Amino acid sequence: QVQLVESGGGSVQPGGSLRLSCAASGSIFRLLYMGWYRQAPGNQRELVAQMSAGTIIHYADSVKGRFTISRDNAKGTVYLQMNSLEPEDTAVYYCNLIQLRNARREEYWGQGTQVTVSS
């Protein structure tokens, strides 16, 4: 099992910044991806940013140029630096990890952290 613990959410005014952290622990075998998804009320969960084990990065078009994903392998932690936040960024943000164990794909989610952008 893998545990993902998120932190760093909160409320901020438009144009502000927040940094989310996700610490992974437990039985991590062959990491494929770590990343962030978000879900706003009434919407489906959507990919925000994702980093492969080889550091290939993908961003949703809506956050390109504003959000930056990074990873500290020594700490087993992935970060999401969010700048120039907009009200449309308001959502619950979830950390996601995908790995291979015994040739089987496993996917894990954090508990979610609320981000609210409002004046």
Side-chain angles (χ1 to χ4, degrees):
Q1 288 292 322
V2 173
Q3 294 78 43
L4 302 175
V5 178
E6 299 133 335
S7 60
S11 296
V12 65
Q13 292 186 341
S17 298
L18 285 173
R19 188 193 194 205
L20 305 183
S21 299
C22 172
S25 62
S27 301
I28 298 175
F29 289 83
R30 182 182 172 187
L31 178 68
L32 295 180
Y33 300 97
M34 282 191 77
W36 293 92
Y37 287 70
R38 68 185 180 187
Q39 187 168 19
N43 290 354
Q44 291 186 335
R45 192 172 295 189
E46 63 176 1
L47 175 67
V48 177
Q50 187 181 63
M51 177 182 282
S52 75
T55 67
I56 295 173
I57 294 174
H58 172 76
Y59 292 104
D61 287 342
S62 59
V63 307
K64 283 181 180 177
R66 301 187 298 121
F67 291 11
T68 303
I69 188 171
S70 61
R71 188 174 66 226
D72 185 329
N73 291 326
K75 295 182 179 180
T77 300
V78 66
Y79 305 94
L80 186 67
Q81 178 66 44
M82 305 185 294
N83 299 328
S84 302
L85 282 161
E86 303 168 352
E88 293 74 22
D89 296 316
T90 296
V92 178
Y93 284 69
Y94 296 91
C95 182
N96 174 264
L97 183 148
I98 301 172
Q99 70 166 355
L100 280 178
R101 181 169 67 164
N102 298 328
R104 295 184 64 180
R105 176 186 168 114
E106 295 182 343
E107 187 169 24
Y108 297 91
W109 295 92
Q111 79 284 359
T113 185
Q114 177 70 46
V115 171
T116 302
V117 184
S118 174
S119 56

